Amino acid sequence: MRSTRRNALLVTLPPFAWITLFLFLPYCLLFCYSFWSLGEFQQIVHHATLANYAHLFTNPLYLTVILRSLRIAFSVVLLSLLIGYPLAYFLVFHSGRYRHLLYQAVIIPLWVSYLVRAYAWKVIFGNEGVLNTLLVWSHAVSHPLSSLLYSPFAVIVTLTHIYVPFVVLPVVASLEKIPRELLESSSDLGARPWQTFLRVILPLSLPGVISGATLAFLLSFGDFLAPLLLGGPSSVMIANIVANLFGADYNWPLGAAVAVVILLIVVTILSVTQRLERRQRFA
Amino acid sequence: MSSRPAEVQLEATNSAAEPAFLRIENVGKSFGAQRVLESISLDIQRGEFLTLLGESGSGKTTLLRIVAGFEQATAGQVFLEGQRLDTLPPHRRPIHTVFQSYALFPHMSVFDNVAYGLRVRGCDRTEAKSRAEAALAKVRMDSFAKHFPRQISGGQKQRVALARALVNRPKVLLLDEPLSALDANLRVEMQRELKLLQQDLGITFLFVTHDQSEALAISDRVVLLHKGKIEQCGTPREIYVRPRTAYSATFLGKSNLLRGVVKHGVADCGIFSLPTQLPDGPVVFSLRPEAIAPATASSGDSLVRFQARVRTEQFHGANTLLALQCAGGIELTARLAAPLGSGESHSFAFRAEDCIPLENSEKD
């Protein structure tokens, strides 16, 4: 009896300690910082104040950037689904003996550093880049398009490229779980292939779609490397602001307040999609 | 090659005047090098309850799936009312299937499951509603319309699957071992209901099972499949009373196989001699256990009498199975109304005409 209890404690202690040390305590610290302020000589004043939040909600800059981040994340999700769902569908239902190969092809980019993939797009979109060279060579345009790089477009394309596998994998998992008799049964009852897709396959794959979309949304929403490398002033995202506030601006209290707001948005989105996902699951 | 006794005409042949409703013509199927079906031909009449019976691997489910359209035959054709059927995709065939796993849509209520076939065919909303409700009432599931498949029992799912397949008024209903997941009592109850439903609706049923007693109990006609070929085809009674091969005789019910040699119109089976019209050569007879009776109760010249010791008895309630040890090491099984007492020696008898000569389908 006693030894099993001690074993249980030994097993649960490391993850518990990890969560406390590296998640719970930092969040508490962040929360505290967001109520403190900067003094005359840039020192932290440990007096609770709502000034950071007041500044955040009155200065239109923050709201604009948050909305832009949401918009970019939403575009990334939409594009990832448009590319990822058909890819997952093909992989599960039509890839035949190339299925394993294709599956690997989806996963392998995940092994390549994020930075390398982001720089690759810089090479493609740049003024002397692959795309512009091709466009000029084919006389589609007379001068290289300078609007390709350093734009929200470049950020969205890069993030989509990076997060498509995060959509494909859960959708593949949910499509694989659909019993084949259900598709046969649907067709047997007179449903044309597109009706079977809309009425059986799509609804039953929604849990995968929701979890993939949530993942891609949250990861894009909090991304700061893609806008840093490929975005211009018009595509600054909220994570860049936080990074600046903690770095160059050295305003930790305001940075913490922005981080808390981001955290709240993320938690809200997560709880909504989790509830949606649970409602879609049928065993 | 083993010798073949004279051809015994046992197959139930359809009257030539009436064209077949569902015709399966020389259908064959191979998966790679493996032949699953070998040139199956079968005519099924309108309103018939036909059962494909066979053990696993006999090809019965493959044949059903070819008729449904889920598999393509590698040879042969299928016709429904004279129209080519096997070239149509499943959703364009007026044929519906009840799956072994029921295959109800988990994200739809019982009602939506049943209405599915009507909706995808663009049936009018109010008509779809009334027809789906009627179909649910027919299988006594109308009070469960709002439930989801995960909330109802196996027997109830079975009824819903049946209602869903019948609501579109298919010309043929295919049933792929629909009762095998149910427990014994419920299965017998559902067999009765299926039979009543089929008679009531007059729809042609093509039923697949590996359970010989189920096949005998509900079918108008049974097709026994063995290794991708039709072993025998006929009414349950025909197949049971006149098995064509040793496989038929032993797969459908119990049977004693008596091996012997025919010489000048007499078959010598060791301790018995039977008068026969078969040509000279080796022969195997099938003798049903219930054809054997204690000799004291019966008399007559056509009876074959023998002495045997009762080795064991299996009491089954309505009857008792006796393992009989005869002279010359021959063992027979007899089915009697009451036990005799094991270990004792008795005199038994059977009628010579109850010994059915079998064709040698294989070298066994």
Side-chain angles (χ1 to χ4, degrees):
Chain A
M1 266 306 278
R2 179 166 293 180
S3 76
T4 55
R5 259 184 95 169
R6 198 172 48 206
N7 283 345
L9 203 69
L10 276 176
V11 169
T12 49
L13 199 62
F16 186 75
W18 176 276
I19 288 171
T20 311
L21 269 175
F22 297 112
L23 285 172
F24 188 68
L25 283 180
Y27 281 139
C28 285
L29 217 58
L30 194 76
F31 193 69
C32 292
Y33 262 101
S34 75
F35 291 102
W36 293 337
S37 55
L38 279 186
E40 241 176 295
F41 309 104
Q42 298 279 340
Q43 86 280 24
I44 306 280
V45 180
H46 299 251
H47 278 297
T49 166
L50 284 172
N52 294 321
Y53 289 100
H55 176 74
L56 212 157
F57 286 113
T58 47
N59 190 334
L61 167 80
Y62 297 100
L63 213 63
T64 310
V65 174
I66 287 178
L67 282 178
R68 178 193 296 149
S69 304
L70 287 174
R71 209 162 48 233
I72 287 178
F74 190 72
S75 313
V76 170
V77 166
L78 219 62
L79 269 176
S80 303
L81 279 177
L82 279 177
I83 297 166
Y85 197 99
L87 182 58
Y89 184 90
F90 180 82
L91 213 151
V92 171
F93 293 110
H94 298 293
S95 58
R97 61 204 177 92
Y98 297 108
R99 177 185 183 143
H100 198 66
L101 198 75
L102 201 62
Y103 197 78
Q104 292 299 323
V106 172
I107 292 176
I108 284 171
L110 294 177
W111 300 350
V112 179
S113 158
Y114 179 112
L115 222 55
V116 172
R117 282 180 286 165
Y119 267 110
W121 284 104
K122 229 174 156 137
V123 171
I124 292 169
F125 284 144
N127 260 354
E128 310 271 299
V130 177
L131 193 59
N132 268 325
T133 311
L134 200 72
L135 286 174
V136 172
W137 175 78
S138 65
H139 299 289
V141 291
S142 50
H143 300 288
L145 296 173
S146 56
S147 58
L148 282 178
L149 199 57
Y150 307 122
S151 67
F153 167 77
V155 174
I156 289 170
V157 168
T158 306
L159 289 176
T160 302
H161 170 227
I162 287 165
Y163 293 127
V164 156
F166 291 82
V167 171
V168 173
L169 298 183
V171 173
V172 163
S174 68
L175 287 175
E176 274 176 339
K177 266 203 321 213
I178 302 175
R180 291 299 172 269
E181 302 99 78
L182 293 188
L183 313 185
E184 287 181 349
S185 165
S186 170
S187 151
D188 184 76
L189 289 164
R192 277 165 281 241
W194 60 269
Q195 287 175 311
T196 298
F197 175 76
L198 284 182
R199 287 169 181 264
V200 180
I201 298 176
L202 189 61
L204 287 177
S205 65
L206 274 186
V209 170
I210 292 171
S211 61
T214 308
L215 216 57
F217 189 89
L218 296 181
L219 289 172
S220 318
F221 180 63
D223 195 274
F224 91 106
L225 260 179
L228 198 67
L229 294 174
L230 296 119
S234 63
S235 46
V236 169
M237 288 174 73
I238 194 66
N240 300 108
I241 301 261
V242 176
N244 273 342
L245 286 172
F246 274 93
D249 287 359
Y250 193 67
N251 191 344
W252 286 32
L254 187 56
V258 178
V260 167
V261 169
I262 295 177
L263 202 66
L264 284 178
I265 292 173
V266 167
V267 167
T268 310
I269 290 171
L270 260 180
S271 68
V272 168
T273 57
Q274 254 175 2
R275 192 163 306 165
L276 268 179
E277 205 185 322
R278 209 169 303 139
R279 200 185 301 169
Q280 293 297 333
R281 276 198 205 286
F282 301 91
Chain B
M1 276 310 291
S2 52
S3 70
R4 271 175 159 259
E7 202 64 41
V8 195
Q9 284 297 328
L10 293 169
E11 308 235 348
T13 43
N14 299 307
S15 57
E18 203 178 341
F21 180 62
L22 178 65
R23 160 164 282 179
I24 295 165
E25 212 172 84
N26 302 323
V27 164
K29 174 75 184 174
S30 314
F31 292 106
Q34 193 195 357
R35 287 185 70 80
V36 180
L37 287 176
E38 314 225 10
S39 197
I40 300 278
S41 290
L42 198 59
D43 281 356
I44 298 154
Q45 296 307 310
R46 188 190 297 272
E48 195 175 12
F49 196 130
L50 186 118
T51 298
L52 299 174
L53 173 66
E55 53 201 358
S56 62
S58 62
K60 56 189 193 304
T61 298
T62 306
L63 186 56
L64 192 85
R65 289 173 62 81
I66 286 171
V67 176
F70 306 137
E71 303 283 359
Q72 290 295 313
T74 35
Q77 296 162 347
V78 182
F79 296 92
L80 182 70
E81 295 182 304
Q83 304 285 314
R84 194 69 189 271
L85 190 70
D86 52 315
T87 49
L88 297 176
H91 66 267
R92 292 189 51 205
R93 302 185 184 198
I95 287 179
H96 294 328
T97 308
V98 176
F99 291 81
Q100 186 170 9
S101 60
Y102 315 133
L104 297 179
F105 302 121
H107 58 301
M108 296 181 198
S109 68
V110 162
F111 178 84
D112 289 337
N113 262 283
V114 174
Y116 186 83
L118 300 167
R119 286 179 182 154
V120 294
R121 294 215 162 147
C123 181
D124 175 65
R125 195 172 263 277
T126 49
E127 197 200 333
K129 188 170 184 313
S130 66
R131 273 172 70 180
E133 277 167 354
L136 275 175
K138 188 117 205 137
V139 295
R140 290 181 282 112
M141 283 297 291
D142 35 346
S143 54
F144 292 89
K146 288 198 173 70
H147 285 60
F148 279 83
R150 64 177 182 280
Q151 298 168 318
I152 59 178
S153 72
Q156 291 169 330
K157 282 182 195 164
Q158 173 66 70
R159 289 166 201 277
V160 175
L162 206 55
R164 183 178 70 170
L166 286 170
V167 74
N168 265 1
R169 297 176 193 140
K171 290 189 169 157
V172 180
L173 187 71
L174 308 177
L175 302 105
D176 184 10
E177 308 224 13
L179 308 181
S180 62
L182 306 179
D183 61 60
N185 286 335
L186 192 56
R187 195 180 319 159
V188 173
E189 165 68 16
M190 280 304 292
Q191 285 171 8
R192 199 182 61 88
E193 276 189 39
L194 265 184
K195 184 75 188 165
L196 284 173
L197 199 63
Q198 191 262 344
Q199 285 169 348
D200 189 21
L201 297 169
I203 292 176
T204 308
F205 275 33
L206 190 54
F207 187 92
V208 159
T209 185
H210 63 269
D211 182 340
Q212 46 96 8
S213 67
E214 188 167 282
L216 293 177
I218 56 175
S219 322
D220 292 330
R221 203 148 56 100
V222 176
V223 174
L224 178 61
L225 287 172
H226 180 46
K227 294 184 178 170
K229 288 184 196 153
I230 295 182
E231 188 79 14
Q232 191 167 359
C233 169
T235 65
R237 185 150 175 78
E238 276 169 349
I239 294 195
Y240 187 78
V241 175
R242 301 218 139 250
R244 195 172 64 85
T245 61
Y247 184 81
S248 295
T250 49
F251 193 81
L252 279 111
K254 280 195 176 304
S255 192
N256 296 298
L257 297 181
L258 306 175
R259 285 159 212 282
V261 180
V262 179
K263 213 169 185 185
H264 307 309
V266 178
D268 176 16
C269 304
I271 53 167
F272 326 109
S273 292
L274 306 168
T276 176
Q277 271 117 50
L278 297 171
D280 290 2
V283 67
V284 180
F285 293 99
S286 158
L287 179 64
R288 292 292 183 193
E290 56 272 24
I292 300 174
T296 48
S298 45
S299 59
D301 291 338
S302 67
L303 286 180
V304 180
R305 290 160 191 277
F306 65 97
Q307 274 302 117
R309 194 172 62 84
V310 180
R311 287 187 65 199
T312 57
E313 289 183 321
Q314 281 177 285
F315 180 64
H316 289 288
N319 54 50
T320 303
L321 278 182
L322 288 76
L324 304 179
Q325 176 85 57
C326 313
I330 297 175
E331 287 187 25
L332 294 176
T333 305
R335 195 193 301 275
L336 300 181
L340 283 178
S342 59
E344 291 166 46
S345 200
H346 293 274
S347 180
F348 295 92
F350 57 86
R351 300 189 307 163
E353 55 264 41
D354 284 335
C355 288
I356 311 299
L358 301 174
E359 285 175 37
N360 266 327
S361 60
E362 277 160 75
K363 29 189 197 283
D364 55 4

